[in-house]
Amino acid sequence: MIFRKASAADVSAVEEIYNDIHTEEEKGGLMTGWIRGIYPTRATAEGALERGELFVLEDRGRVVGAGIINQDQAEAYAQGRWVHELPPDRVCVLHTLVVSPAASKKGYGKAFVCFYEEYARKTGCKACRMDTLEWNSVARAMYRKLGYAEVGIVDTELQGLSNVSMVLLEKYLG
């Protein structure tokens, strides 16, 4: 497994993962809460690439996962009951973590979160934060197993999705 910053050549692979997730959601096989054409889209990946925030997980020459890593805490994060009050430059945030449905159940999601935590440490952050939609029970269970505490569920509008119940998660790195 190789984790790296994405290049322009990776955007199509990331978009394909987004589309595969949307297809699984529409078939009832996944419960992310995302909506095709609204979020995430190719523009999501392109914007993150332009900002230098898009990372990919490559295995055997194929992009099987991606995520956006930055320090951007969504407005709704202000409603969280964060255990650790830290300056914004000491908090790292993971957005839009995806693993190809064709590569699920192989530990890629867990590996990506571990990469994210190591990246946060290397950049001087003391806490990792993220969010997921309330009904995404698979993601919530994985994050719980990885030591993330749920610090609130807030109703918000996010990335063009309205009436979103977003679970806020935090892990202190020390």
Side-chain angles (χ1 to χ4, degrees):
M1 282 188 275
I2 298 170
F3 295 92
R4 59 179 173 76
K5 276 200 169 187
S7 69
D10 296 316
V11 171
S12 291
V14 174
E15 178 188 28
E16 184 178 334
I17 294 171
Y18 294 165
N19 287 333
D20 290 347
I21 289 170
H22 289 309
T23 298
E24 286 301 311
E25 177 95 16
E26 292 159 0
K27 290 194 285 187
L30 289 175
M31 291 284 295
T32 63
W34 292 342
I35 299 172
R36 187 186 304 273
I38 296 178
Y39 184 80
T41 64
R42 182 180 185 91
T44 304
E46 290 172 335
L49 177 70
E50 288 172 17
R51 295 185 306 274
E53 300 170 349
L54 184 63
F55 292 79
V56 295
L57 164 54
E58 185 180 313
D59 195 10
R60 298 179 190 152
R62 184 172 159 250
V63 173
V64 295
I68 300 168
I69 301 174
N70 58 32
Q71 293 182 304
D72 182 26
Q73 298 181 70
E75 194 174 303
Y77 278 41
Q79 299 174 53
R81 296 181 310 274
W82 304 106
V83 177
H84 305 282
E85 291 299 325
L86 296 164
D89 67 337
R90 294 290 183 213
V91 176
C92 200
V93 185
L94 175 62
H95 309 271
T96 323
L97 172 60
V98 294
V99 172
S100 169
S104 66
K105 309 253 189 252
K106 295 182 180 175
Y108 292 131
K110 176 183 176 181
F112 201 103
V113 172
C114 291
F115 162 77
Y116 158 59
E117 291 171 6
E118 186 58 31
Y119 179 85
R121 282 184 186 92
K122 286 179 181 174
T123 58
C125 291
K126 297 292 182 188
C128 289
R129 292 181 180 166
M130 64 179 81
D131 60 76
T132 191
L133 298 185
E134 184 177 22
W135 56 80
N136 192 341
S137 58
V138 173
R140 290 175 75 182
M142 180 182 76
Y143 299 143
R144 198 172 12 254
K145 285 180 187 173
L146 295 174
Y148 284 80
E150 293 187 4
V151 298
I153 299 176
V154 297
D155 293 323
T156 188
E157 189 169 306
L158 182 69
Q159 304 291 339
L161 303 173
S162 37
N163 300 317
V164 172
S165 291
M166 183 167 58
V167 178
L168 304 176
L169 302 115
E170 177 180 46
K171 183 174 183 177
Y172 188 65
L173 302 175

